[in-house]
């Protein structure tokens, strides 16, 4: 007998091993797929996953090595999960071992891991129960934690508590006062669900909920921002849990805000489990096991949470399904949204894709009858949708990018005691630093890109490779001191607004100001207090947030999206505009959205503003049909990079030549093409686009084509990658 295992290597094949020497034939024949096996791969020990116990091997028995150790007697990976992983490996033409590497908690992939069987938890003490949290006046966070534990009749895990934003020192403070105590809890620990009062659904919401629970496979929940999609999710989840099943909720990376978590916990109590990139290995393992054993009822996570096994799957929800962060952009390039649909079909459960601005892919699936659609066209409660209009920048005298009309509108908004949001999709101070006398400009030496000037702290920063340099005082080329900063970044806007409105708080929210762990939640707290202020920020502000006092949204520049080289440019621009605009006019404030543009009459922009996203999207879909671009067709892309300029193109030319012998019916190869940024981080880059009439033609072609890529030798540290259904052409 042979153990056929998947190993974490990029090689797209399985590896055969002999059973460990001390294992009996009987115990081997009992092993099932999904058990972990320790093996030596070259000189290194590795954890592989058993895919089958085979009776024939293509490799001679004396060439095979015995496996080192059998780590599980019962499969650690459930069959359903293994089916999903195999499907993904097959569809994305990626190594199954590497898929598993992405999908499993790191803890399970370590050869010499210690077994852990319990985790730390905290519980209220008798004194703690009798202590009034408000008596801890000087320690507000401690009071909040005390109150949380008072209201929980079971202990909470430390992981859960830390995910609620309580730092270690807060916990220690209460432990020292003996108001709470430490306990050990099982690894797969979770709380029982409490059911809070659901809201009374309006007619549209009720219809949507009925549509979802009719049980048909996939529902696109297309609801404008503020229409109450979340309430529909909550009630769909509730009915699933009441049948004893589990719910998996995927949210975009920056959508996993404390606000999101609070809304779920307000309804279901502290049983909600989180999975995201900042989780430690131990936390991830605990959540994974709690989900696999069925102890956890609700799992909310970002992209990779789609791989979480569920003992009793009930429903999958993908919120903001259009969001680009659901697609992994390196290594194993999967789309968590698409896998959610596949997984739901495999497990025969409903899946809901929700968005105010659905992707063209999902709209096309509705059109083709593969998904059903439920629409929410009205804002829930009393809120009114915002009024959107353009501001013509032509002939205007701009103050640091702001037109007089925009500044006037900001002043009016603040005077009314409301808050304003200024959206600008570029961080730093200015995107170009140029010499007025000789035209020199700051360029990254590793990329074909300009370096962005940051002033706090002062430096030049390449946003493509992270290269950082001192800010020159004079021109490196002609020594002139006439250096000019061209264009707008968030820092510059913040400075200009603070000068214009000296008595108002200006909060800059971008990757630079939120790198400190609690910075974002501190700023959000300040905004929630409701005093007039101006938020200046990047797309971090676009999603998920709920700002009750927001009266005005100003979009500094809409022109970039209209003239993007990427065929998805207009779609992305429209989604961003509508999402940012959706932050305004929540609750009972009528919001206003102003869009600065040099092309205020641009037909696409006007179509979007006058007829709304769905009309806009449906025209774009027709255009894609004419242009034979996705989703009307299927697409894959090969990206190649190397140390020498010509190597990527030479490699692709050779591959294309070989591909002449393949059946190319319904396939169009385009390339070698220069990458949109031909040099990045010191590497030269080229691309090949593969367009196919449909997905199955693409899949059949790639099955053979990947073999050609694998057998073609590249020079100069050449690296290639295959991206099926790319969403970013970079
Ligand atoms: P979306 O997720 O579609 O952007 P939300 O779920 O955030 O919308 O809902 C917007 C606001 O409307 C929230 O404050 C929510 O509590 C409220 N809301 C949702 N559904 C109802 C309802 N049926 N009745 C009253 N208020 C509702
Ligand atoms: Zn100069
Ligand atoms: Zn660079």
């Amino acid at each position: 007998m042979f153990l056929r295992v998947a190993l974490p290597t990029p090689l797209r094949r399985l590896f055969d091993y002999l059973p460990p020497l001390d294992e009996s034939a009987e115990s081997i024949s009992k092993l099932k797929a999904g058990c972990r096996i320790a093996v030596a791969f070259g000189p290194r020990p590795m954890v592989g996953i058993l895919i089958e116990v085979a009776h024939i091997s293509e490799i001679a028995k004396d060439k095979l090595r015995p496996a080192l150790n059998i780590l599980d007697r019962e499969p650690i990976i459930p069959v359903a999960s293994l089916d999903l992983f195999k499907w993904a490996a097959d569809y994305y033409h990626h190594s199954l071992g590497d898929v598993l590497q992405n999908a499993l908690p790191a803890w399970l992939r370590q050869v010499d891991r210690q077994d852990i069987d319990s985790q730390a938890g905290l519980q209220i003490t008798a004194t703690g129960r009798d202590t009034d949290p408000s008596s801890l006046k000087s320690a507000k966070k401690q009071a909040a934690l005390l109150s949380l534990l008072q209201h929980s009749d079971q202990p909470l895990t430390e992981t859960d508590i830390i995910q609620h934003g309580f730092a270690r020192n807060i916990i220690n403070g209460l432990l020292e006062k003996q108001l709470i105590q430490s306990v050990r809890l099982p690894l797969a620990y979770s709380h029982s669900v409490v059911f809070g009062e659901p809201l009374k659904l309006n007619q549209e919401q009720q219809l949507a909920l009925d549509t979802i629970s009719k049980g048909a496979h996939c529902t696109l929940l297309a609801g404008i921002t503020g229409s109450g999609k979340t309430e529909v999710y909550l009630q769909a989840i509730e009915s699933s849990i009441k049948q004893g099943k589990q719910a998996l909720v995927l949210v975009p990376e920056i959508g996993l805000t404390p606000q999101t978590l609070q809304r779920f916990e307000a309804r279901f109590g502290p049983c909600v489990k989180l999975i995201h990139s900042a989780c430690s290995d131990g936390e991830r393992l605990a959540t994974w096991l709690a989900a696999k054993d069925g102890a956890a009822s609700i799992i909310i996570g970002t992209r990779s949470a789609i791989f979480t096994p569920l003992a009793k799957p009930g429903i999958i929800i993908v919120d903001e399904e259009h969001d680009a962060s659901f697609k992994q952009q390196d290594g194993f390039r999967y789309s968590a949204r698409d896998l959610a649909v596949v997984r739901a079909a495999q497990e025969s459960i409903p899946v809901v894709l929700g968005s105010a601005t659905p992707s063209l892919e999902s709209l096309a699936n509705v059109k083709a009858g593969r998904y059903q659609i439920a629409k929410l066209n009205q804002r829930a409660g009393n809120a009114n949708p915002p009024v959107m209009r353009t501001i013509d920048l032509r002939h205007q005298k701009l103050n640091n990018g702001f037109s007089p009309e925009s500044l006037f509108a900001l002043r009016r908004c603040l005077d009314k005691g409301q808050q304003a949001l200024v959206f600008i999709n570029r961080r730093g101070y200015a995107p170009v630093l140029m010499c007025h006398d000789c035209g020199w400009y700051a360029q990254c030496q590793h990329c074909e890109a300009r370096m962005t000037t940051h002033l706090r702290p002062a430096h030049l920063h390449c946003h493509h490779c992270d290269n950082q340099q001192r800010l020159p005082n004079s021109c490196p080329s002609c020594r002139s001191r006439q250096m000019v900063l061209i264009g707008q970044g968030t820092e510059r806007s913040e400075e200009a607004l603070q000068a214009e409105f000296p008595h108002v708080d200006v909060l800059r929210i971008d990757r630079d100001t939120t790198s400190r762990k609690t910075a974002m939640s501190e700023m959000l707290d300040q905004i929630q207090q409701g005093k007039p202020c101006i938020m200046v920020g990047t797309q971090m502000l676009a999603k998920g947030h709920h700002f009750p006092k927001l009266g005005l949204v100003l979009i500094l520049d809409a022109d970039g999206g209209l003239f993007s080289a990427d065929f998805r440019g207009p779609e992305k621009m429209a989604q961003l505009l509508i999402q940012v605009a959706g932050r305004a006019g929540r609750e009972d404030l009528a919001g206003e959205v102003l869009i600065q543009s040099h092309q205020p009459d641009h037909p696409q922009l006007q179509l979007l503003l006058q007829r709304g996203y769905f009309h806009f999207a449906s025209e774009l879909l027709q255009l894609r049909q004419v242009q034979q671009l996705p989703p009307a067709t299927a697409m894959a892309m090969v990206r190649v990079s190397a140390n020498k300029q010509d190597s990527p193109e030479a490699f692709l030319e050779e591959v294309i030549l070989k591909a002449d012998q393949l059946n190319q019916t319904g396939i169009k190869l385009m390339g070698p093409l220069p990458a949109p940024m031909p040099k990045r981080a010191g590497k030269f880059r080229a691309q090949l686009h593969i367009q196919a009439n449909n997905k199955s033609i693409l899949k059949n072609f790639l099955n053979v084509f990947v073999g050609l890529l694998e057998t073609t030798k590249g020079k100069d540290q050449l690296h290639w990658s295959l991206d099926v259904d790319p969403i970013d052409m970079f």
Side-chain angles (χ1 to χ4, degrees):
M1 282 183 289
F2 306 93
L3 303 175
R4 189 153 295 155
V5 297
L7 291 177
T9 82
L11 300 172
R12 293 180 319 121
R13 44 167 290 210
L14 301 175
F15 298 86
D16 288 354
Y17 285 84
L18 299 169
L21 300 172
D22 52 355
E23 293 281 342
S24 72
E26 198 200 343
S27 71
I28 292 299
S29 64
K30 278 194 192 139
L31 287 178
K32 296 193 201 79
C35 291
R36 287 168 307 153
I37 314 275
V39 302
F41 186 69
R44 284 202 300 146
M46 271 187 186
V47 173
I49 304 295
L50 182 68
I51 300 300
E52 63 174 327
V53 178
H55 294 275
I56 322 171
S57 175
E58 286 173 5
I59 301 179
K61 205 170 168 182
D62 55 349
K63 292 255 161 49
L64 290 178
R65 294 206 267 172
L68 302 174
N69 201 356
I70 291 172
L71 299 174
D72 303 309
R73 296 291 152 177
E74 288 299 322
I76 185 110
I77 305 174
V79 179
S81 296
L82 215 47
D83 286 347
L84 180 69
F85 303 154
K86 283 182 186 164
W87 189 94
D90 204 38
Y91 182 80
Y92 292 107
H93 302 273
H94 198 80
S95 138
L96 178 59
D98 198 53
V99 171
L100 288 159
Q101 174 90 356
N102 275 267
L104 295 183
W107 201 288
L108 297 177
R109 294 184 259 112
Q110 287 158 21
V111 185
D112 50 358
R113 97 215 134 86
Q114 323 112 275
D115 268 326
I116 44 169
D117 52 11
S118 67
Q119 59 177 325
L122 295 166
Q123 179 176 33
I124 197 88
T125 59
T127 339
R129 197 170 290 288
D130 295 336
T131 304
D132 180 1
S134 62
S135 66
L136 301 173
K137 279 194 254 3
S138 55
K140 259 174 46 190
K141 274 275 184 184
Q142 285 189 16
L145 177 54
L146 181 63
S147 160
L148 178 72
L149 282 162
Q150 281 178 344
H151 286 95
S152 170
D153 47 357
Q154 298 152 297
L156 289 172
T157 70
E158 280 194 12
T159 303
D160 288 341
I161 287 171
I162 289 165
Q163 292 198 325
H164 279 80
F166 296 106
R168 173 77 35 205
N169 61 330
I170 311 288
I171 298 176
N172 289 343
L174 287 182
L175 282 171
E176 276 163 28
K177 295 185 181 130
Q178 302 195 336
L179 298 175
I180 61 173
Q181 65 193 24
S182 297
V183 286
R184 295 305 294 178
L185 298 170
L187 211 46
Y189 175 83
S190 190
H191 288 265
S192 48
V193 186
V194 276
F195 291 104
E197 265 312 295
L199 296 175
K200 181 160 172 22
L201 298 183
N202 64 32
Q203 215 173 355
E204 284 184 330
Q205 286 174 314
Q206 187 61 51
L207 208 62
L209 185 64
D210 294 344
T211 309
I212 293 163
S213 54
K214 268 198 316 243
H217 168 47
C218 180
T219 308
L220 179 65
L221 180 59
I224 62 169
T225 46
S227 59
K229 292 185 289 297
T230 310
E231 186 61 32
V232 176
Y233 302 152
L234 292 174
Q235 298 199 19
I237 291 170
E238 178 172 339
S239 85
S240 183
I241 298 178
K242 283 189 165 154
Q243 297 167 36
K245 295 180 184 160
Q246 297 166 285
L248 177 63
V249 183
L250 301 185
V251 295
E253 249 146 42
I254 53 180
L256 198 48
T257 57
Q259 280 177 329
T260 315
L261 178 61
Q262 275 160 20
R263 289 185 74 175
F264 278 82
E265 299 209 323
R267 188 64 52 86
F268 301 115
C271 68
V272 180
K273 295 269 175 198
L274 292 189
I275 298 191
H276 53 83
S277 52
C279 286
S280 72
D281 286 357
E283 291 167 1
R284 215 172 255 273
L285 178 67
T287 305
W288 196 87
L289 291 175
K292 176 173 112 71
D293 293 353
S297 297
I298 304 173
I299 292 102
I300 306 185
T302 49
R303 182 174 64 227
S304 68
I306 187 58
F307 299 115
T308 315
L310 299 173
K312 297 167 286 181
I315 189 167
I316 305 180
I317 285 161
V318 184
D319 189 26
E320 310 290 1
E321 64 90 28
H322 64 279
D323 194 88
S325 74
F326 288 123
K327 172 95 185 189
Q328 178 145 306
Q329 304 280 18
D330 53 16
F332 172 32
R333 296 164 190 264
Y334 65 95
S335 156
R337 178 210 44 217
D338 295 350
L339 286 180
V341 176
V342 171
R343 176 169 180 182
Q346 285 181 342
E347 307 201 14
S348 305
I349 56 172
V351 55
V352 182
L353 309 181
S355 175
T357 53
S359 63
L360 295 192
E361 276 72 13
S362 295
L363 289 170
N365 278 322
V366 170
K367 234 174 154 183
R370 283 186 287 268
Y371 300 173
Q372 49 181 1
I373 187 165
K375 282 197 176 182
L376 305 178
N377 295 317
Q378 267 135 42
R379 287 204 157 182
N382 302 320
N384 291 311
V387 182
M388 298 176 77
R389 66 187 170 87
T390 51
I391 289 187
D392 191 347
L393 288 182
R394 291 170 300 183
H395 307 299
Q396 297 288 328
K397 188 167 164 14
L398 301 185
N399 171 354
N400 285 292
F402 292 93
S403 81
E405 197 183 342
S406 304
L407 290 174
F408 180 76
L410 279 170
R411 189 172 303 283
R412 202 177 43 202
C413 165
L414 296 166
D415 285 347
K416 278 193 278 185
Q418 300 171 356
Q419 298 175 336
L421 186 161
V422 174
F423 174 80
I424 164 166
N425 216 2
R426 190 181 275 129
R427 65 200 168 90
Y429 192 85
V432 186
L433 172 68
M434 194 180 271
C435 170
H436 184 62
D437 287 325
C438 77
W440 173 93
Y441 60 88
Q443 206 181 3
C444 177
Q445 66 266 52
H446 308 297
C447 305
E448 235 163 77
R450 291 180 295 264
M451 296 192 79
T452 301
T453 304
H454 289 242
L455 291 187
R456 270 171 293 154
H459 68 291
L460 288 169
H461 198 148
C462 173
H463 289 177
H464 304 284
C465 73
D466 227 21
N467 174 21
Q468 302 186 24
Q469 281 178 7
R470 224 171 41 81
L471 194 63
N473 293 325
S474 57
C475 172
S477 170
C478 77
R479 310 234 161 261
S480 158
R481 291 196 161 258
Q482 299 280 326
M483 304 293 279
V484 283
L485 287 161
I486 302 171
Q488 303 293 321
T490 45
E491 272 186 20
R492 188 176 208 160
S493 305
E494 177 195 13
E495 186 184 273
L497 287 167
Q498 196 66 79
E500 189 73 23
F501 303 101
H503 303 299
V504 179
D505 287 330
V506 178
L507 301 169
R508 172 159 61 95
I509 302 183
D510 58 22
R511 192 136 43 96
D512 299 315
T513 60
T514 55
S515 56
R516 202 165 42 83
K517 218 175 170 186
T518 53
M520 182 78 168
S521 62
E522 282 164 20
M523 284 195 272
L524 290 175
D525 282 349
Q526 186 181 343
I527 295 163
Q528 296 302 333
Q529 284 169 13
K531 275 206 324 200
C533 69
I534 306 178
M535 307 162 227
V536 186
T538 56
Q539 57 182 341
M540 291 186 96
L541 279 177
K543 284 162 224 169
H545 300 293
H546 183 68
F547 303 122
K549 287 283 177 215
L550 186 63
L552 172 71
V553 169
L554 174 66
I555 289 156
L556 210 63
D557 175 19
D559 296 344
L562 293 172
F563 300 104
S564 161
D566 183 345
F567 73 87
R568 284 196 172 81
E571 178 187 354
K572 289 180 186 162
M573 172 205 70
Q575 290 167 345
L576 197 59
L577 284 187
I578 300 290
Q579 293 288 347
V580 180
R583 302 307 118 207
R586 297 200 147 210
E587 317 262 301
D588 46 6
L589 265 181
E592 188 179 18
V593 180
L594 303 177
I595 301 165
Q596 297 196 146
S597 171
H598 284 96
Q599 302 273 333
D601 303 321
H602 193 288
Q604 282 187 323
L605 195 54
Q606 282 307 325
L607 179 67
L608 178 66
L609 297 188
Q610 283 170 18
R611 312 230 28 215
Y613 181 78
F614 287 90
H615 272 279
F616 175 85
S618 124
E619 294 220 347
L620 272 191
L621 263 180
Q622 282 172 23
L623 199 63
R624 300 269 182 93
Q625 185 75 46
V626 174
Q627 297 168 330
Q628 286 293 289
L629 286 167
T633 55
M635 189 166 185
M637 173 168 157
V638 182
R639 294 182 182 82
V640 187
S641 66
N643 285 341
K644 287 225 178 97
Q645 183 143 24
D646 297 328
S647 309
E649 281 181 23
F651 173 84
L652 283 174
E653 261 156 20
E654 192 180 334
V655 172
I656 292 166
L657 199 66
K658 288 187 193 166
D660 271 347
Q661 288 140 35
L662 305 182
N663 176 5
Q664 291 197 12
T665 324
I667 295 281
K668 210 160 95 191
L669 296 183
M670 286 169 292
L673 305 167
M677 191 181 294
K679 186 182 172 204
R680 182 170 181 176
K683 297 276 187 188
F684 294 91
R685 296 142 30 99
Q687 301 181 342
L688 171 67
H689 295 188
I690 305 166
Q691 217 157 293
N693 288 357
N694 61 44
K695 290 200 171 202
S696 82
I697 292 179
L698 180 65
K699 182 151 184 283
N700 289 336
F701 177 76
L702 290 179
N703 277 341
V704 197
F705 181 76
V706 178
L708 294 186
L709 284 170
E710 281 173 336
T711 51
T712 305
K713 276 249 172 311
K715 288 188 304 205
D716 307 310
Q717 297 205 4
L718 183 131
H719 176 84
W720 61 264
S721 66
L722 176 67
D723 191 351
V724 179
D725 306 332
I727 58 157
D728 197 334
M729 307 311 283
F730 251 72

